[in-house]
Amino acid sequence: MILHSNIIGEGKPFVILHGFLGMSDNWKTLGKQFSDEGFQIHLVDQRNHGHSFWDDNFNYEILAQDLKNYCEAHNLTDIVLLGHSMGGKTAMLFACLYPELVSKLLVADISPRFYPVHHQTILEGLSALDFSEIKSRGEADKVLSEYISEFGIRQFLLKNLYWVKKGKLGLRINLEVLKSEVAEVGESLPAHLRFEKDTLFLKGDRSEYIGAEDQRLILNQFPIAKIVTIANSGHWLHAENPKDFFDTVIKFVG
């Protein structure tokens, strides 16, 4: 099965991968801006997310293979590849395994290292959504607020809501599989892998996902990588400071 995507514009192929519990729609505004700069933007839904297929198997090797299948189906080579968080891990592994397909790699707010499971509260909140009772976005937000205090995170998660049929809401994510396989999201990039082409790591200045201790690890596996900090942003740096994020990306890929 081939991943679902939203393709915008014409030009050099530029593939964007969302993070855990996200979807391609999160990148639609920036995708349009990138396409205006002469790129054909592929906003891809990874498996068990967005409009893509659901499957019980879920790990980075499989996610990278999904992307390989996608590139073959769309005859994509020499791509610019950008991934955020979980999508950044997929992008790192894909670039290392298939460097001939990637011209430039961009990784948003994630390091190659191992991360312990830290999504439990979010997953508990999503699991508490009873769609036999919940009939509106506002009602869903009220339930989530009992688990997640940050309004912005709740709004991000609620983008997964959709009408399964008239009067019946549901989630576009495969919640049961993502709950059972959540430990896979934190897995490290295998230490022996390298990608020796142009690479840019972007980090939010308020985020703890890429710390000072990560620089050596990044440069060990991505020896010509640059690490740039996006001001006034946390982990969702592309949403919190889209202007600086856009300008930094275009400077690198231009």
Side-chain angles (χ1 to χ4, degrees):
M1 290 181 283
I2 302 302
L3 298 172
H4 175 271
S5 69
N6 183 10
I7 302 173
I8 307 171
E10 297 293 335
K12 182 176 176 61
F14 187 154
V15 177
I16 299 178
L17 301 176
H18 61 80
F20 186 58
L21 304 176
M23 64 176 69
S24 60
D25 280 2
N26 301 148
W27 288 85
K28 190 175 291 184
T29 299
L30 275 169
K32 178 64 169 63
Q33 290 178 269
F34 291 140
S35 74
D36 290 342
E37 298 295 322
F39 294 94
Q40 183 183 67
I41 302 300
H42 293 252
L43 304 178
V44 175
D45 284 328
Q46 299 189 83
R47 68 168 57 196
N48 295 319
H49 291 77
H51 292 272
S52 280
F53 57 87
W54 287 13
D55 192 271
D56 289 345
N57 297 307
F58 190 78
N59 58 55
Y60 285 117
E61 290 74 19
I62 288 170
L63 296 180
Q65 183 62 52
D66 285 344
L67 183 56
K68 175 73 156 36
N69 295 342
Y70 178 87
C71 288
E72 290 176 350
H74 290 272
N75 297 311
L76 301 182
T77 59
D78 198 37
I79 67 173
V80 174
L81 178 59
L82 187 162
H84 171 243
S85 198
M86 180 190 82
K89 284 278 187 79
T90 304
M92 282 187 261
L93 181 59
F94 180 87
C96 290
L97 294 177
Y98 310 108
E100 70 281 3
L101 296 180
V102 181
S103 61
K104 293 189 176 186
L105 173 67
L106 301 96
V107 180
D109 213 57
I110 201 76
S111 161
R113 67 174 164 90
F114 168 79
Y115 291 80
V117 174
H118 56 281
H119 300 93
Q120 299 98 316
T121 303
I122 286 176
L123 292 172
E124 287 173 13
L126 291 170
S127 298
L129 297 174
D130 180 355
F131 293 116
S132 66
E133 299 288 340
I134 293 170
K135 301 300 180 185
S136 72
R137 183 185 181 91
E139 291 175 11
D141 183 55
K142 184 177 180 181
V143 173
L144 281 184
S145 69
E146 297 173 12
Y147 297 83
I148 304 157
S149 60
E150 298 91 340
F151 177 77
I153 294 177
R154 297 201 307 274
Q155 294 307 296
F156 163 76
L157 296 170
L158 289 170
K159 287 182 181 292
N160 287 293
L161 275 185
Y162 78 110
W163 292 105
V164 179
K165 59 184 180 181
K166 187 174 181 179
K168 175 70 171 177
L169 284 165
L171 292 171
R172 291 205 180 279
I173 50 173
N174 187 347
L175 185 58
E176 293 308 310
V177 167
L178 296 181
K179 283 164 59 180
S180 67
E181 304 300 322
V182 64
E184 295 290 341
V185 178
E187 283 298 313
S188 61
L189 186 71
H192 67 281
L193 293 180
R194 302 283 185 279
F195 179 71
E196 299 183 355
K197 293 183 179 180
D198 289 342
T199 305
L200 178 66
F201 281 75
L202 304 107
K203 65 182 295 288
D205 66 342
R206 298 194 302 264
S207 174
E208 298 179 352
Y209 276 72
I210 298 180
E213 70 281 0
D214 290 305
Q215 183 168 337
R216 179 183 59 81
L217 177 60
I218 288 170
L219 292 176
N220 183 48
Q221 297 192 264
F222 302 89
I224 60 172
K226 299 175 182 176
I227 304 171
V228 174
T229 299
I230 303 298
N232 303 313
S233 67
H235 184 54
W236 285 273
L237 61 177
H238 56 291
E240 296 171 60
N241 188 349
K243 182 182 185 304
D244 285 358
F245 186 89
F246 173 82
D247 290 344
T248 303
V249 168
I250 287 300
K251 182 178 179 182
F252 178 73
V253 300

